[in-house]
Structures are given as C-alpha cells and as structure tokens.
Amino acid sequence: MTSSGTTYRRYTNLAAAIHMLQSKQITLLSPEKWDDGNDRHFMEVYKDKRSLQTLVAICLAKDADTYGHWRVFSPNGDGVCVILRKDLLIASFEGVPGIRHGEVNYREIRHLRSDPPAVYELPFLKRWPYRSEGEYRVLYEHATEVAKAKDFPLPNGCITEVVLSPWMPEPLVASVKRTLKSIEGCSGISMYQSTLVKNPEWTSITDRAHNDGR
C-alpha cells in the first residue's frame, strides 16, 4: 500500500469513482449538502463576504486510512477510496485561476473567541474535535461564473489505488474490480477491498492466543 505521506485519499461512492476513472478528472462540488453544519456555514459566509457566484470544493484525507473516514465519508457498501499521488495532484492545481488549496486548520472555540478568523481563512478552518480527519481541501471560486460543479483534469499516474468498501458484499468484489479495470487506462491500477473491519491476519492472531494462567 502506498505511504500516506505521499498521497491523498478521496472517500466517495462507486458512481463518483467511475466518473473519475473514465473522465480522468476530479470534480469539485458545492458544499451546500455537506454533513457538518458548521462547515457549511463557514463556506456560506465566505462566499457571501467575497461576493462569489461560484464556490465549489473537494475534501481529501491526508492521513492514514481509519474506520472514521469510511464511516463518515463512505459509509455504505458502494463506498470507494481513491488514492491520489500528492505531488502530481498539487502540481496540477498550481497556477489555475480561481483555485485555492491547503491543509485544514483545526481550532478550539476558546481560541477563536478572542481571535476571530479572517474571512480568507474560513474555508480551511474546522473545529478541533474534527482534527482526526487530517483534511486537505481544494476550492474553486469565481465572482461571475455560476456553477454547482467543476471538473479539473488529473495527470497521468495520479490515481495509484482504488480501495473498495470494507462493507461491500464479498461476492461482488471481483466483478466490481473487473469492471473498473476494464476502463481505459485503469488496468494497471491496484484495486482491492479494504480489510479494515475484517482482516484475516489480525483475526488469525487471536486464534493463536495462549492461556497464560491468569
């Protein structure tokens, strides 16, 4: 598995992953339906105060795979984690008009009481309890263009792995992998099902547990 220090993870669903693999693009969407109401509000305030007609974004995880990432961002059997090379992805956004990207800054409310954030910080600011997400965020903004979504091309080799949901029924995994690998340019991408909730090696260790007399 690729080192988390050189990659970003995009947790999504199977339909979005197919679009990404077929179009060789990454899609930024409106934050209007984001689950976190605090996050939505910050983005709304940012859009309003900067008089923007378009504000779309994508959230990526920069840290290692966790149960929380799957449960929050890809909670169903059709969940997918697309692993992207960090260097190629960042380079593809450099110098693109309207693009901002960076790590999310996690702050405690008590600190913001005495030091309210600047408007420019809002899209990259989240509450301290969310810090385990290790989020990296890409935004596209425009003052006159009106769009609810925006596609940007992915460089060749940017997608390194496709991980299927740990809750995908096992009989479906092989067929889904074959279908994804049949997409043009995807035959060489590593694809497998996450073993996060049932790892054969981990469970086999318990079978060898010994009685130490206690």
Side-chain angles (χ1 to χ4, degrees), residues 73-92:
F73 301 112
S74 299
N76 301 313
D78 70 339
V80 176
C81 176
V82 179
I83 301 181
L84 305 158
R85 269 186 56 175
K86 180 190 295 187
D87 58 345
L88 293 180
L89 184 67
I90 291 178
S92 73

Side-chain angles (χ1 to χ4, degrees), residues 124-169:
F124 299 94
L125 193 62
K126 290 190 77 170
R127 289 191 60 200
W128 182 252
Y130 290 88
R131 65 192 181 280
S132 62
E133 293 176 355
E135 190 176 327
Y136 192 92
R137 193 169 283 182
V138 182
L139 273 63
Y140 171 77
E141 59 185 60
H142 203 281
T144 57
E145 177 187 358
V146 179
K148 294 289 186 181
K150 193 81 172 176
D151 286 325
F152 294 89
L154 285 171
N156 291 334
C158 190
I159 298 175
T160 63
E161 300 176 32
V162 175
V163 187
L164 305 180
S165 169
W167 299 289
M168 179 176 287

